[in-house]
Amino acid sequence: MRHHNKLLLAGLLLAAGAAQAQKTAADGIAEYRALLADGNPAELFEAKGEDIWKTKRGPKNASLERCDLGKGPGVVKGAFVELPRWFADTQKVQDLESRLLTCMSSLQGLDAAAIAKTPFGKGEQVAMEALAAWISGESRGQRMNLPQAHLEEQRMYQLGKRAFFFRGGPMDFSCASCHGEEGKRIRMQDLPNLTKNPGDGVGFAAWPAYRVSSGEMWSMQRRLNDCYRQQRFPYPGYASEVTVALGVYMGVNAKGAESVAPALKR
């Protein structure tokens, strides 16, 4: 009996070891994120973003509470999952960050061009990241639903598609080099295929996000600019047309996916 029990225990340990060996790197990262999820530091940025939204600032001593993010002045819930979109007042398709620049300029008198040129993690860029965290959080759980009725929205989708597949630079990379097919990864990081809907809370539906590795909140604009850096391209510029167009392309492809932003990233 004792010998039988030892054999049984050995069998269980071998089975457990085999199951552990079958666990993918993605499973491990998912478990790591799950452990941190209850205390996602993004919540601190959300609280800060809400405070900045409601605080009177700038030369005009005004808050952003009359900012129109696409659903009417001051309406925040549900706005994030419909951005980028066409805005009649600027005659442009704008994403969240470029629209915030418009509101900060028109309502508060802040210098939008100066903010756009400010390095990430400095000055008003810190406020931008917090605002992006709060606004995206107000649509958490809703489905991505970017509009494509306006001709400019359709043009930006096609421009974003061209930019996504454009190869260049010293390494002849494109966005599609990493995110254009199934089963790709960099080291321990699985890379979602963004040419189609990658699913709930993946890709476009997961940004802004808190980066554990750097201890910072990253908006989609920061993510896209850093992707260009990784491709050894020059920064395209904060809120530039190509970054907004890429947002349109990925956002439309993600239609119906549940937004989990601000998410948690390694």
Side-chain angles (χ1 to χ4, degrees):
M1 179 66 73
R2 184 178 300 173
H3 179 68
H4 174 76
N5 288 340
K6 286 184 177 180
L7 288 175
L8 179 61
L9 178 59
L12 291 173
L13 289 173
L14 285 173
Q20 186 68 24
Q22 291 176 2
K23 184 187 294 184
T24 66
D27 292 332
I29 293 174
E31 288 180 4
Y32 171 64
R33 288 176 181 159
L35 290 172
L36 295 174
D38 287 340
N40 187 348
E43 295 176 4
L44 301 176
F45 289 86
E46 289 183 67
K48 181 178 180 180
E50 182 178 10
D51 183 63
I52 293 172
W53 177 268
K54 297 177 179 178
T55 298
K56 294 180 179 180
R57 302 193 311 138
K60 295 185 179 181
N61 191 33
S63 72
L64 291 170
E65 292 173 295
R66 292 190 294 113
C67 179
D68 185 354
L69 297 174
K71 300 183 78 66
V75 180
V76 177
K77 288 187 181 299
F80 175 73
V81 293
E82 297 180 3
L83 289 168
R85 68 181 302 158
W86 166 259
F87 287 90
D89 59 345
T90 59
Q91 294 290 291
K92 293 180 180 179
V93 173
Q94 294 181 290
D95 65 356
L96 174 57
E97 291 93 315
S98 58
R99 188 58 184 173
L100 282 172
L101 287 178
T102 294
C103 289
M104 293 166 84
S105 174
S106 62
L107 296 176
Q108 298 179 311
L110 296 172
D111 188 338
I115 296 173
K117 292 178 181 178
T118 301
F120 292 114
K122 307 290 184 180
E124 282 295 323
Q125 281 291 344
V126 177
M128 293 292 289
E129 303 290 357
L131 285 166
W134 177 63
I135 293 168
S136 63
E138 288 294 287
S139 295
R140 187 185 290 108
Q142 296 192 29
R143 302 284 173 176
M144 303 306 301
N145 188 30
L146 273 65
Q148 278 281 283
H150 197 280
L151 287 177
E152 273 299 291
E153 293 168 341
Q154 298 167 26
R155 183 185 75 84
M156 288 292 274
Y157 177 86
Q158 293 301 324
L159 176 61
K161 183 177 182 178
R162 289 180 62 187
F164 191 88
F165 287 95
F166 177 79
R167 301 177 70 99
M171 304 186 73
D172 194 32
F173 269 15
S174 68
C175 300
S177 297
C178 292
H179 296 287
E181 56 186 276
E182 305 294 336
K184 286 200 168 185
R185 57 188 283 182
I186 294 180
R187 296 184 294 275
M188 294 180 64
Q189 185 67 52
D190 289 324
L191 302 172
N193 182 353
L194 302 180
T195 63
K196 61 180 185 180
N197 195 325
D200 293 347
V202 181
F204 193 79
W207 293 89
Y210 178 79
R211 297 295 302 273
V212 176
S213 56
S214 63
E216 297 175 297
M217 176 61 63
W218 281 32
S219 68
M220 178 55 77
Q221 276 290 328
R222 186 168 185 176
R223 174 69 275 171
L224 288 173
N225 273 271
D226 194 65
C227 283
Y228 272 92
R229 177 193 65 80
Q230 291 176 321
Q231 295 176 64
R232 307 300 189 268
F233 279 16
Y235 276 139
Y238 189 85
S240 59
E241 185 178 52
V242 68
T243 56
V244 175
L246 282 168
V248 173
Y249 176 69
M250 292 185 293
V252 171
N253 289 350
K255 184 178 178 65
E258 179 183 352
S259 173
V260 299
L264 188 70
K265 298 290 184 180
R266 64 174 178 83

